[in-house]
Amino acid sequence: MSWQGVLADSITSAAGVEERFPGTAAAIDETARRYPMRINSYYWGLIRKVGGPLWRQAVPSQLELDDKIGVVDPLAEESLSPVANLVHKYPDRVLFLVNNQCAMYCRFCTRKRKVGTRRMPISDAGIEAGLDYIRRTPAVREVLMSGGDPFLMSDERLDWILGELRAIPGVEIIRIGTRTPCVLPMRITVRLTKILRRYHPLYINTHFNHPAEITPQAAQACTRLADAGIPLGCQTVLLRGVNDDPQIIRDLLCGLLKIRVKPYYLFQGDLTRGANHFRTPVAVGLAIMKSLIGHVSGMAIPVFAVDAPGGGGKIPLLPDYKISYGRELIFENYCGRVCSYPDVTGR
Ligand SMILES: *Cc1c(COP(=O)(O)O)cnc(C)c1O
Ligand code: SF4
């Protein structure tokens, strides 16, 4: 089936869920009226059980409506947008939200305030305004296309935006954030990769959260992108009841390397309204990092980071290996053995 067909075959209400999992309809429709729901037939086919790791990512829950702690726009994106849907937070790169649709509406989404709703209008004029801002802001060396999901646009529209960006002399790097290799892998067609490969240097960061998402179809999608010369990264979010476990994260990260995806970030959950029930203690993330570093290939190790509320940006966190730091650095290695390194004084 074409990717458009898989998408058209989505479950968008309690009735569709109830049909396969009787007795689970409560609160789904009410929640979906506030935060959109879409579970396409591919991802639906991966869901094995009620309350499982893929279920929790996809099926609306009453907990979203009950959230009194989360913040509507935790990263202050709206106030950091010089034009609508373009976030300029860091000096040399911008986040350009080019689409409001996704192949699945993740329940934990940081932008659930607007993604998939009328609160995120995207128009040709809006895209032009973003392009104009990039043209007149030469400090921007990198453009990160995100959304929504840029790959939910047609090939032609993507080609148009990529062509416009590539024609801007100051834009050195184009990066695309897309969850389609994970949630709609049939979107990665040969035709799409032929378009993408004309715009190098192009990087793609995708988003897998659980080893069960690494299917033969996902592997094929990533192979196609990698064979088009596109380096692939992954931005995973730590999610309670989904992947907040050292063994699950290890299987995920090592599995990603096997499909040629380099883990890039492991994010602490954002303080998003409607997603607070997914947050895990920071200590859990640090313990997971400690269980990985040194024990598995360094290639599999992402940076564990918190995106600071209020637009502070991504701040990395590492387990503490330092015991004391004077003339000698006294620290412990990954097995807990104490080591020392005589520092150099002066410059
Ligand atoms: C995450 C993000 C970036 C990219 O940050 P990197 O550390 O380069 O991946 C850029 N702009 C905004 C607004 C972001 O949220
Ligand atoms: S694919 Fe990304 S933008 Fe879309 S709902 Fe999921 S997390 Fe949000």
Side-chain angles (χ1 to χ4, degrees), residues 93-112:
R93 54 208 190 280
V94 294
L95 177 65
F96 191 11
L97 307 179
V98 295
N99 190 21
N100 64 5
Q101 295 289 304
C102 293
M104 169 171 108
Y105 292 113
C106 312
R107 307 325 299 168
F108 53 83
C109 181
T110 294
R111 275 179 218 119
K112 66 190 293 174

Side-chain angles (χ1 to χ4, degrees), residues 273-295:
R273 170 82 50 91
N276 194 57
H277 57 292
F278 284 112
R279 290 200 303 143
T280 53
V282 171
V284 167
L286 287 170
I288 289 175
M289 290 305 291
K290 191 147 196 184
S291 79
L292 294 169
I293 294 170
H295 297 277

Side-chain angles (χ1 to χ4, degrees), residues 3 98-99 149-155 157-158 161 187:
W3 66 271
V98 295
N99 190 21
D149 197 314
F151 282 0
L152 268 260
M153 297 189 291
S154 68
D155 289 355
R157 193 170 172 79
L158 255 176
I161 297 174
R187 172 63 184 103

Side-chain angles (χ1 to χ4, degrees), residues 148-221:
D149 197 314
F151 282 0
L152 268 260
M153 297 189 291
S154 68
D155 289 355
E156 288 68 29
R157 193 170 172 79
L158 255 176
D159 197 13
W160 166 58
I161 297 174
L162 285 167
E164 294 293 326
L165 284 175
R166 217 359 117 224
I168 301 173
V171 174
E172 297 169 5
I173 306 292
I174 299 173
R175 195 197 310 180
I176 298 176
T178 173
R179 215 185 162 191
T180 56
C182 173
V183 297
L184 187 69
M186 48 294 290
R187 172 63 184 103
I188 312 302
T189 58
V190 172
R191 186 166 187 267
L192 175 66
T193 59
K194 279 189 181 145
I195 292 170
L196 296 174
R197 65 189 309 153
R198 305 208 319 267
Y199 298 106
H200 281 307
L202 177 74
Y203 289 74
I204 289 182
N205 276 336
T206 184
H207 177 170
F208 287 77
N209 291 326
H210 193 276
E213 294 171 337
I214 304 177
T215 63
Q217 294 98 315
Q220 189 195 41

Side-chain angles (χ1 to χ4, degrees), residues 82-83 86 88 94 128-138 140:
V83 302
L86 185 142
H88 195 177
V94 294
E128 294 282 8
L131 291 168
D132 274 340
Y133 177 82
I134 297 165
R135 284 187 199 107
R136 63 173 192 267
T137 314
V140 175

